[in-house]
Amino acid sequence: MGVTQEDKELLALYQQPGTREKGFTLIVQKYQEKLYWHIRRLVINHEDANDVLQNVFIKVWKNLENFREDAQLYTWLYKIATNESLSYLEQQKRKSSVSLSDVETGLENKLKADSQFDANKLEWKLQKAILGLPEKQRIVFNLRYYDEMPYEQMSKVLDTSEGALKASYHHAVKKIEEFMKQE
């Protein structure tokens, strides 16, 4: 499945020197909120999510002319956003030379520090449960549950087979259900 008609028009604007910035701005406006929330669910903190999102759009600006229209623009953008989020988390881990469990504890602490945090609310319980998942399962769960991304598209974003993604999602749901029963 290739690029949508609307995205083709935006890409056409981007490819013309006179309308390049306008085309890019329209692409940013169309996708920034979805990408922000995808990133935010991975890095948790608002400021971190904004930083990662900025890096995503810098990469997009630099690489958009190489985008092949055989994939959806949305899928390509999500792939960049996912990779940037994972790179950011990896940097945090290296910077503080801590284990992944410490990074996850840090993410949980960021979640609890949110001014809206209420451990008794279902949404916060769900967020806490999601944070307890291994990284791969967390990404798959977020893409499926929040972004309602089809497995076919997810396999392009994550370079993983649809079967493996379905298994990851299934395991994630089971773990979340168990967590929700315990709390």
Side-chain angles (χ1 to χ4, degrees):
M1 188 152 88
V3 176
T4 66
Q5 188 56 43
E6 183 184 357
D7 285 345
K8 276 186 179 174
E9 291 165 13
L10 297 177
L11 289 166
L13 282 173
Y14 174 81
Q15 289 159 351
Q16 300 303 315
T19 55
R20 171 167 268 189
E21 285 185 26
K22 180 182 182 186
F24 182 74
T25 300
L26 292 171
I27 289 168
V28 169
Q29 287 171 352
K30 180 175 179 183
Y31 290 107
Q32 73 180 356
E33 189 173 347
K34 279 183 175 179
L35 291 174
Y36 168 82
W37 285 108
H38 171 62
I39 293 165
R40 173 92 185 252
R41 284 188 285 273
L42 295 175
V43 303
I44 306 304
N45 180 282
H46 168 70
E47 285 79 19
D48 297 344
N50 271 341
D51 290 347
V52 172
L53 184 62
Q54 290 235 302
N55 292 342
V56 167
F57 283 123
I58 289 168
K59 272 212 162 111
V60 169
W61 174 259
K62 290 178 180 173
N63 295 295
L64 195 56
E65 59 198 27
N66 302 323
F67 172 69
R68 295 185 323 279
E69 294 186 24
D70 55 349
Q72 286 190 18
L73 182 58
Y74 167 81
T75 305
W76 185 73
L77 293 170
Y78 264 74
K79 187 173 195 156
I80 293 170
T82 302
N83 290 338
E84 284 296 307
S85 298
L86 294 177
S87 293
Y88 174 81
L89 290 172
E90 192 60 39
Q91 273 178 342
Q92 295 303 102
K93 195 166 53 176
R94 276 199 308 273
K95 237 186 233 173
S96 52
S97 68
V98 295
S99 70
L100 183 59
S101 65
D102 289 341
V103 169
E104 286 164 355
T105 301
L107 290 175
E108 192 174 315
N109 289 339
K110 284 181 182 180
L111 179 68
K112 288 177 183 171
D114 189 302
S115 61
Q116 305 295 309
F117 181 77
D118 177 351
N120 297 318
K121 285 193 178 156
L122 202 54
E123 179 62 23
W124 290 107
K125 273 186 176 175
L126 177 60
Q127 285 302 316
K128 203 171 167 195
I130 293 168
L131 278 176
L133 296 172
E135 192 171 77
K136 179 90 172 178
Q137 287 178 13
R138 193 167 81 224
I139 293 167
V140 170
F141 183 83
N142 283 336
L143 287 173
R144 188 84 183 132
Y145 182 79
Y146 289 106
D147 298 316
E148 299 175 352
M149 188 179 283
Y151 289 111
E152 179 188 351
Q153 208 170 16
M154 218 186 293
S155 76
K156 291 176 182 143
V157 170
L158 301 173
D159 289 326
T160 308
S161 74
E162 288 182 46
L165 293 168
K166 288 176 183 175
S168 285
Y169 183 74
H170 176 76
H171 292 302
V173 168
K174 287 279 177 238
K175 288 176 184 172
I176 289 170
E177 285 171 353
E178 285 304 308
F179 182 88
M180 297 300 262
K181 286 178 193 170
Q182 292 168 9
E183 289 286 306

